Amino acid sequence: MACQPAYRCARSCLTALRADILPLYRPKWHSRRSYSIQSQEEEIARLPNINPNALSVTKTTTPKALVPPEELVFGRTFTDHMLSIEWTASQGWLPPRITPYQNLSLDPATCVFHYAFEAFEGMKAYKTSTEELRLFRPDRNMRRLNRSAKRIALPEFDGEAFTDLIARFVRMEERFIPSSRGYSLYLRPTLIGTQRTLGVGPPGSALLYLIASPVGPYYPTGFRAVSLAATSTAVRAWPGGVGDRKLGANYAPCIVPQLEAAKRGYHQNLWLFGEEELVTEAGTMNFFACVKERGTGRKVLMTAPLDGTILEGVTRESVLELARERLGAEGWGVEERGFTMGELAEAAEEGRLMEAFGTGTAAVVSPVRKINWRGRDIECGLKEGEEAGEVAARMKAWIEEIQYGDVEHPWSVKV
């Protein structure tokens, strides 16, 4: 039999695939006469959204003993309850429930296990010196979770309504938040596809849930600068991908490179991209560098732009806004632009690299002491015995005074 042209063979295979398999994936609301993604989205948009007034609460009958604050390990201790909201393509968002913390019961064929329909957020609740409870910029987390959901065909939701429910949940779990400065309640909203199917398609059901874990200071005895291994053989994100979304699928592939960096004595990877070796992120954090411009000596705080490969970090945005407002008044430049590892190394050699740090919910800022690149360590401006640069220390102080309510600020939302 004569060989078919490659494009004709691929087209016939795709036609057969559609004929054999797509009917198995068709959601209940799919029209048998026509397939229109737009009409499906319109139908879903008309379904009921999250309704905080429909919340039901079932309190635990076996409250957990509190772990002493000094013994808390990140992500190991959980509170008494969880918040969950189911969604179906035929009914929309069902009434939310707060129940005792418990295991999920999911069929082995649930699509999240097979095709990574999962997005999540990381946020914290804080207790002020007057025992008030606060959230930090929750609207940004809701916006990002919705963007992540949309990218992987999971249902979007009313962010303000979910924030209302988070606030109620936090009030219930208040006893788990130590009153000491530096402690908080880490909140993990998670959205997963729950349809029982091996078919690849938009999930017909989903679950949005929230669990919480009391956590202590990231640096209990003060700043500890980290070292990074510049990595270009493994790529964290690429143009057109999902590196700018907070998906679980983005994290697991980064573990092996991190372990390899650790074997060489480095805490995390500094992810480089392309032949130019553009600096993108540090481990799971956004990355900032402070440099002096050659010739003018002007101080500049710079970070990679949101080009589709960079996660839109809430702390990143906060650092940029505070820098433009406060450092800008001191003559600093604040830039979101692409820069290369070679550029950083050159600045270090010329004494123009002042400091570098990562930013994220867990640590707020994480100072960087050195970066290993092409077989040599690039020092990042810290003096011997110094664990943080001036900008990193100021940013941490500025953000934490907002988070803990020392100053009134629109970013700090009372619960």
Side-chain angles (χ1 to χ4, degrees):
M1 183 177 72
C3 293
Q4 300 183 57
Y7 76 89
R8 192 171 295 167
C9 179
R11 185 172 61 183
S12 62
C13 289
L14 182 58
T15 301
L17 180 67
R18 286 173 174 165
D20 291 344
I21 298 177
L22 280 183
L24 300 177
Y25 302 162
R26 184 180 289 120
K28 293 178 182 177
W29 37 263
H30 177 82
S31 168
R32 291 183 177 276
R33 289 171 29 178
S34 64
Y35 183 84
S36 169
I37 293 177
Q38 182 176 355
S39 65
Q40 290 171 9
E41 290 178 345
E42 290 172 354
E43 285 184 49
I44 289 175
R46 288 194 291 267
L47 293 172
N49 214 309
I50 293 174
N51 180 10
N53 295 327
L55 174 66
S56 65
V57 178
T58 303
K59 292 187 177 182
T60 183
T61 57
T62 56
K64 299 174 182 176
L66 295 179
V67 175
E70 64 276 8
E71 295 179 15
L72 289 172
V73 177
F74 182 85
R76 298 289 181 85
T77 302
F78 297 95
T79 63
D80 286 334
H81 301 92
M82 63 189 294
L83 166 67
S84 58
I85 318 170
E86 294 182 75
W87 176 90
T88 72
S90 58
Q91 297 175 281
W93 290 102
L94 302 180
R97 300 178 300 129
I98 292 179
T99 61
Y101 187 98
Q102 59 193 272
N103 293 336
L104 299 178
S105 179
L106 296 171
D107 190 283
T110 302
C111 59
V112 65
F113 298 140
H114 302 274
Y115 308 119
F117 286 104
E118 189 266 356
F120 71 96
E121 275 300 318
M123 51 196 297
K124 287 180 178 179
Y126 304 86
K127 185 176 287 186
T128 71
S129 59
T130 58
E131 300 294 301
E132 287 184 326
L133 302 178
R134 305 284 184 107
L135 297 174
F136 182 72
R137 310 194 79 174
D139 59 314
R140 295 305 196 263
N141 296 100
M142 298 301 102
R143 181 179 69 183
R144 188 170 63 182
L145 184 52
N146 267 317
R147 289 178 176 175
S148 298
K150 186 174 183 178
R151 181 63 177 84
I152 57 173
L154 287 174
E156 296 173 77
F157 57 89
D158 182 335
E160 289 186 7
F162 189 41
T163 300
D164 184 353
L165 291 168
I166 292 174
R168 298 187 198 188
F169 176 86
V170 168
R171 288 195 293 269
M172 278 188 63
E173 308 294 62
E174 177 180 357
R175 74 184 186 95
F176 285 91
I177 312 177
S179 298
S180 303
R181 184 62 170 253
Y183 290 86
S184 58
L185 186 64
Y186 184 84
L187 303 170
R188 175 53 67 90
T190 306
L191 178 59
I192 62 174
T194 57
Q195 185 173 357
R196 175 181 171 272
T197 179
L198 296 182
V200 183
S205 62
L207 174 66
L208 175 61
Y209 67 92
L210 173 74
I211 56 176
S213 174
V215 294
Y218 195 84
Y219 299 106
T221 59
F223 274 121
R224 286 291 181 269
V226 300
S227 59
L228 305 176
T231 305
S232 57
T233 53
V235 181
R236 191 201 75 86
W238 50 91
V242 292
D244 59 342
R245 299 293 184 259
K246 203 164 180 66
L247 309 178
N250 284 337
Y251 290 76
C254 297
I255 300 302
V256 169
Q258 181 184 341
L259 293 174
E260 291 172 350
K263 289 178 183 177
R264 296 165 50 205
Y266 299 92
H267 297 94
Q268 280 284 1
N269 305 88
L270 179 65
W271 303 105
L272 307 181
F273 180 77
E275 294 182 1
E276 297 174 282
E277 296 187 303
L278 288 166
V279 174
T280 61
E281 296 191 358
T284 59
M285 301 180 291
N286 294 117
F287 180 82
F288 286 81
C290 299
V291 299
K292 291 180 181 178
E293 288 184 337
R294 185 187 290 113
T296 66
R298 185 177 76 125
K299 299 175 182 177
V300 177
L301 175 69
M302 60 184 186
T303 191
L306 299 177
D307 60 359
T309 66
I310 304 297
L311 184 67
E312 191 175 353
V314 178
T315 310
R316 173 191 182 276
E317 181 181 354
S318 303
V319 166
L320 286 170
E321 291 183 25
L322 290 171
R324 291 186 175 112
E325 174 192 335
R326 303 181 186 186
L327 296 183
E330 300 173 8
W332 280 72
V334 181
E335 299 179 356
E336 296 177 73
R337 68 171 180 86
F339 58 94
T340 67
M341 188 60 224
E343 200 176 326
L344 276 188
E346 187 177 72
E349 290 170 1
E350 297 174 359
R352 296 185 294 105
L353 178 56
M354 301 167 63
E355 61 179 288
F357 55 90
T359 63
T361 299
V364 183
V365 297
S366 182
V368 175
R369 179 169 299 282
K370 61 185 178 181
I371 302 168
N372 184 264
W373 178 60
R374 296 186 178 180
R376 60 194 177 104
D377 285 342
I378 310 299
E379 296 295 330
C380 295
L382 295 181
K383 299 174 184 176
E384 187 175 350
E386 189 178 38
E387 296 295 335
E390 180 184 358
V391 174
R394 294 173 78 185
M395 283 297 170
K396 184 175 186 293
W398 288 341
I399 290 175
E400 285 190 345
E401 69 180 9
I402 296 171
Q403 292 172 334
Y404 286 94
D406 297 341
V407 297
E408 289 301 325
H409 197 285
W411 294 350
S412 181
V413 178
K414 294 180 181 180
V415 171

